[in-house]
Amino acid sequence: MSLGDVGELKSEDDKLREDRRRLFLVTAEDTPDALMRVLGVASVQQVRLRALTAQPEGAAISIRLEIDDQGDDRAQVLAARLASVPVVRGVGHGWR
């Protein structure tokens, strides 16, 4: 393996890291400001949002956030902050 090969492997690893995304599933009360409260937390945590869906489910709203991966620690912090929002009833997260 030459130095060029190592450089190519490293750039492939960097590309894979860039493509990794986290998925957060949030269940909240279906209030007029629920989505904005959840997005406010994501904004303050400076996550890069890649996809968003929200849909009512009975008296709740289901919010799906797909973000760029910033590591396990940052994901745990974001999950905790989302869970602390008064209208949020549950938060789950994992890999996309």
Side-chain angles (χ1 to χ4, degrees):
M1 185 178 280
S2 70
L3 287 177
D5 294 338
V6 172
E8 288 177 23
L9 288 175
K10 185 175 181 181
S11 65
E12 288 176 16
D13 287 344
D14 291 342
K15 176 75 172 137
L16 286 174
R17 245 183 252 114
E18 289 173 7
D19 290 341
R20 290 175 61 173
R21 294 189 181 168
R22 297 268 180 164
L23 176 63
F24 287 79
L25 302 173
V26 179
T27 303
E29 295 173 17
D30 191 7
T31 62
D33 65 342
L35 179 59
M36 295 309 296
R37 286 177 179 239
V38 168
L39 290 177
V41 170
S43 176
V44 167
Q45 294 300 304
Q46 298 183 344
V47 300
R48 182 158 294 184
L49 188 61
R50 295 302 181 186
L52 166 71
T53 57
Q55 60 187 26
E57 291 184 0
I61 185 168
S62 176
I63 303 166
R64 181 181 187 271
L65 304 167
E66 191 174 306
I67 65 169
D68 283 349
D69 181 35
Q70 295 178 322
D72 291 337
D73 292 340
R74 296 269 309 194
Q76 293 294 336
V77 168
L78 179 58
R81 298 265 167 94
L82 288 169
S84 72
V85 174
V87 296
V88 170
R89 296 295 168 240
V91 176
H93 65 96
W95 299 104
R96 175 187 65 96

